[in-house]
Amino acid sequence: MHEIVYMRADYEPWWMFDGWEEKVVSRRKFESAEKAREYLEQAQADYSLRFAKREKRDFAFSVFWNEEEMEYCEKCEEDLQIFHGLIWLYNGKPKISF
């Protein structure tokens, strides 16, 4: 099963820290890699229009952000950058190649 996950967090999606799934905003499941790739490419194009910055790691991870989108962390006592991440999972694991 292929899955494209959108997460919003104060770290890039490739870190997948403990509890990262709590940051998931949406999930889309696909039976085929082709359908998942089509959806991911469209989402990446849409996010590229909304966010000034972008980075990609491996095949599975894309992240988008605007430098002015920050949130205050009471625990850290500082403002943290907010990242919008897309992750391609295959059977629950990051799909790092195609």
Side-chain angles (χ1 to χ4, degrees):
M1 175 71 61
H2 297 270
E3 188 173 20
I4 306 299
V5 175
Y6 162 58
M7 64 180 285
R8 182 182 183 278
D10 57 4
Y11 54 88
E12 295 90 341
W14 47 81
W15 293 111
M16 296 181 88
F17 293 127
D18 285 340
W20 73 271
E21 290 182 318
E22 295 170 13
K23 306 290 186 176
V24 170
V25 175
S26 66
R27 296 173 176 268
R28 291 281 309 260
K29 295 184 180 186
F30 303 90
E31 292 295 325
S32 74
E34 186 59 37
K35 293 289 184 190
R37 185 171 66 162
E38 287 173 12
Y39 177 82
L40 178 61
E41 288 174 354
Q42 183 60 53
Q44 289 171 334
D46 292 345
Y47 282 52
S48 291
L49 296 174
R50 294 176 39 206
F51 300 98
K53 305 284 186 176
R54 174 185 183 177
E55 189 174 334
K56 197 169 183 179
R57 292 249 175 118
D58 297 318
F59 193 78
F61 304 101
S62 300
V63 66
F64 304 83
W65 72 98
N66 290 322
E67 289 182 358
E68 63 275 1
E69 187 178 4
M70 309 281 276
E71 285 187 4
Y72 185 75
C73 172
E74 290 184 31
K75 183 178 170 183
C76 313
E77 296 183 351
E78 66 179 311
D79 288 329
L80 300 177
Q81 180 67 57
I82 297 301
F83 297 97
H84 300 267
L86 295 170
I87 306 172
W88 184 344
L89 300 175
Y90 178 65
N91 292 332
K93 303 252 190 255
K95 183 170 177 61
I96 58 172
S97 66
F98 197 10

